[in-house]
Amino acid sequence: MEYLFVIILGLTLIYILKKKDLPKIFINAYIFTIIFTILGELSFTLYTDVYGFFNMLGHLLRFISYLIILIGINSKYLIYTIEELTDKIEIEKEKYKILAEQDFLTGLYSRNYFNEWIARISKNSKDNTKDVLIIIDIDNFKNINDEYGHLHGDEILKFVAQKMKETFRESDLLVRFGGDEFLVTI
């Protein structure tokens, strides 16, 4: 029976060595686990006494292979999985931060971002510097949406945002405050 296990483990070892898409962190643990298990199984074929040296050696090597599985594969897999999930969460967090800070239609900052920005500026402002706030509103924009449709209205909003980007400095804060209302802080 031990020889059958050795053959199966040997084939598994060959398969793992040929497999290129496994994370490097696991390949060594797999290899050592299989080698110690094979050695343990082979030592079981040599023992003649239940309490003999080769029987004890077989159990010791099997125990070492279990430790490698526990520490080398399971623990590292958990760490690897947690790190992978943490990276994915960070990417998603950044994506949602951008969605919260930027108006999806115009590419300008959103009202949410402006509210956080103004609170931060107000809290940290210790000097008497004066900023200029410009409010831009497209007159009769509702009539444009009603007469030509919302897709046409969206194109006008994009056009206004583009002209604002071309007109104002990069250091100025350009915000789509809502609907057809825009803010610029200079």
Side-chain angles (χ1 to χ4, degrees), residues 3 41-49 54-55:
Y3 292 116
E41 292 300 322
L42 289 175
S43 71
F44 284 132
T45 64
L46 299 175
Y47 83 91
T48 55
D49 182 359
F54 289 109
N55 188 24

Side-chain angles (χ1 to χ4, degrees), residues 12-103:
T12 305
L13 184 61
I14 291 168
Y15 174 77
I16 288 173
L17 290 172
K18 288 184 176 183
K19 195 105 168 117
K20 300 293 182 198
D21 61 343
L22 286 174
K24 181 85 170 133
I25 194 168
F26 302 119
I27 291 177
N28 292 338
Y30 284 131
I31 291 170
F32 285 119
T33 299
I34 291 171
I35 289 172
F36 277 104
T37 306
I38 287 173
L39 292 174
E41 292 300 322
L42 289 175
S43 71
F44 284 132
T45 64
L46 299 175
Y47 83 91
T48 55
D49 182 359
V50 174
Y51 300 106
F53 172 75
F54 289 109
N55 188 24
M56 183 204 62
L57 181 64
H59 286 292
L60 180 65
L61 291 170
R62 187 179 281 171
F63 177 74
I64 291 171
S65 71
Y66 292 157
L67 279 177
I68 294 171
I69 290 171
L70 178 67
I71 297 168
I73 296 175
N74 292 342
S75 299
K76 288 184 179 183
Y77 180 74
L78 289 174
I79 291 168
Y80 176 79
T81 304
I82 290 169
E83 288 173 352
E84 191 175 279
L85 288 173
T86 303
D87 291 344
K88 287 180 181 178
I89 288 171
E90 287 300 317
I91 290 168
E92 288 295 312
K93 191 167 118 179
E94 187 63 31
K95 184 173 89 174
Y96 286 115
K97 181 180 176 195
I98 290 169
L99 286 173
E101 292 179 349
Q102 192 175 39
D103 177 60

Side-chain angles (χ1 to χ4, degrees), residues 141 144-145 147-159:
F141 186 72
I144 294 169
N145 276 337
E147 189 171 334
Y148 300 104
H150 288 278
L151 292 177
H152 189 71
D154 287 350
E155 291 303 316
I156 291 174
L157 293 172
K158 290 179 196 175
F159 176 79

